[in-house]
Amino acid sequence: MTTFWFIVIAFLWTGYFVLEGFDFGVGALLPLLSRSEADRRQVLGTIGPVWDGNEVWLITAIGAMFAAFPAWYSGLLSGFYLPVFLVVTGLIVRGVGLEWRGKVHSRREVALCDAGIVAGSVLPAFLWGAIFGNLLFGTALATVLGGALSLSVAVLHGAVFVALKTTGGVRARARRAALLAAVGAVPVALSTLPSVPGRGPLWTLGTALLAAAALAAGVTLVWGRREGWAFTATATAITATTATVFGVLSAAPLPGLTLAEAASAPYTLTLLTWIGLIALPGVLVYQAWTYWVFRKRLTAEVGDGTARGPRSRG
């Protein structure tokens, strides 16, 4: 049961980084992809129906850690109290910006909302990588490189997502932004990922190589205007990177703490298993349905500029 729940938690974190990753990237790129208010509505419309649902993956992952591995949960959140606090603060600021942007009227208020969206996207995207980089290596350099890797890949992932979901000038700028983001993401990945597998099981070497290959494939596919496959590639890169990280953490999720020592009692894990088997499939089906409903590309509203937001177009 201990191994099973570690895999479940790794799966939840992976879902969070893949889905919330493009949210962070879109928010960080908002001022770079927009030339007008219609553009900004079009960019934000790509994540409007899904961003709050994507955050549920984080809540579920943290909740599962609390129930299945209380020692890991308490050690992680207390040991990284300040960065986790800043992550939560960033998510709150971003949420307020996204929710209030359509309710305010003055340009100053809209600009404040936009600034909150950008800051609330960049900060968590960097800090999650910094936290896990510190967990793996415990050095200042690894912390900075981990943060740079997660932020640059999130920006690339978000740019590809915007290119996949939009039309016109925003789509063209998103493709260019993806190529520019790759200039930062690929070198950082090549300097970081090869050093991770040496600390974990042999199979983590394969996932690290897969992450690097998928990242390179994503850049190539963006260049060829194959945004759907490019998004699949960047999502694969994030998945493989997360698998590599959790593969290393499987031996010791915290320094001096084994997985068995961090786990709850067998009865608790058994009870959690039954709850998870009932609840998790429903959540996955619902979120898949949400993405299916909002699968079409978006185009900015035309008219006098007072339209409420983007509309879907096949």
Side-chain angles (χ1 to χ4, degrees):
M1 284 295 179
T2 300
T3 302
F4 171 77
W5 271 100
F6 183 80
I7 293 173
V8 170
I9 290 170
F11 170 76
L12 293 172
W13 277 105
T14 301
Y16 172 68
F17 287 136
V18 169
L19 299 177
E20 191 79 312
F22 69 73
D23 285 348
F24 291 150
V26 172
L29 288 168
L30 177 62
L32 301 178
L33 301 182
S34 308
R35 297 292 183 270
S36 64
E37 177 60 23
D39 286 350
R40 286 186 283 274
R41 287 196 297 265
Q42 188 179 8
V43 171
L44 293 176
T46 62
I47 62 173
V50 297
W51 70 267
D52 47 356
N54 293 342
E55 287 188 354
V56 173
W57 286 80
L58 175 62
I59 298 170
T60 308
I62 295 293
M65 289 176 64
F66 171 75
F69 299 98
W72 184 19
Y73 165 87
S74 60
L76 179 66
L77 268 63
S78 61
F80 296 95
Y81 179 84
L82 180 57
V84 171
F85 172 78
L86 292 175
V87 166
V88 174
T89 301
L91 294 177
I92 292 172
V93 170
R94 185 190 66 156
V96 171
L98 288 168
E99 290 292 342
W100 279 91
R101 195 181 190 282
K103 300 178 176 63
V104 297
H105 303 288
S106 72
R107 290 186 177 181
R108 179 176 178 275
E109 291 172 328
V110 171
L112 284 174
C113 288
D114 289 348
I117 293 169
V118 175
S121 299
V122 171
L123 196 61
F126 178 85
L127 287 174
W128 280 128
I131 289 170
F132 281 96
N134 190 284
L135 268 179
L136 292 178
F137 296 97
T139 65
L141 179 60
T143 302
V144 174
L145 284 176
L149 177 63
S150 62
L151 177 58
S152 59
V153 172
V155 171
L156 172 60
H157 195 42
V160 173
F161 184 73
V162 174
L164 175 65
K165 292 287 293 179
T166 59
T167 60
V170 170
R171 183 186 182 188
R173 287 191 289 273
R175 282 200 300 265
R176 290 195 292 270
L179 296 174
L180 290 174
V183 174
V186 172
V188 174
L190 292 178
S191 64
T192 305
L193 289 174
S195 61
V196 177
R199 296 174 173 264
L202 183 60
W203 60 263
T204 57
L205 176 61
T207 55
L209 292 174
L210 175 61
L215 199 61
V219 177
T220 304
L221 289 163
V222 169
W223 182 267
R225 300 190 177 188
R226 302 292 299 273
E227 292 98 344
W229 285 109
F231 183 76
T232 302
T234 54
T236 300
I238 295 173
T239 300
T241 301
T242 309
T244 304
V245 170
F246 275 85
V248 175
L249 293 178
S250 62
L254 288 175
L257 181 71
T258 66
L259 206 59
E261 292 170 342
S264 295
Y267 176 78
T268 302
L269 295 178
T270 301
L271 183 61
L272 286 173
T273 301
W274 284 109
I275 295 173
L277 289 174
I278 295 172
L280 190 58
V283 173
L284 294 176
V285 169
Y286 172 76
Q287 192 149 39
W289 175 79
T290 302
Y291 278 93
W292 175 258
V293 170
F294 295 102
R295 67 189 182 278
K296 295 181 180 179
R297 291 186 182 272
L298 301 177
T299 179
E301 289 282 357
V302 294
D304 60 2
T306 60
R308 294 180 181 178
R311 64 167 181 255
S312 295
R313 187 178 74 176

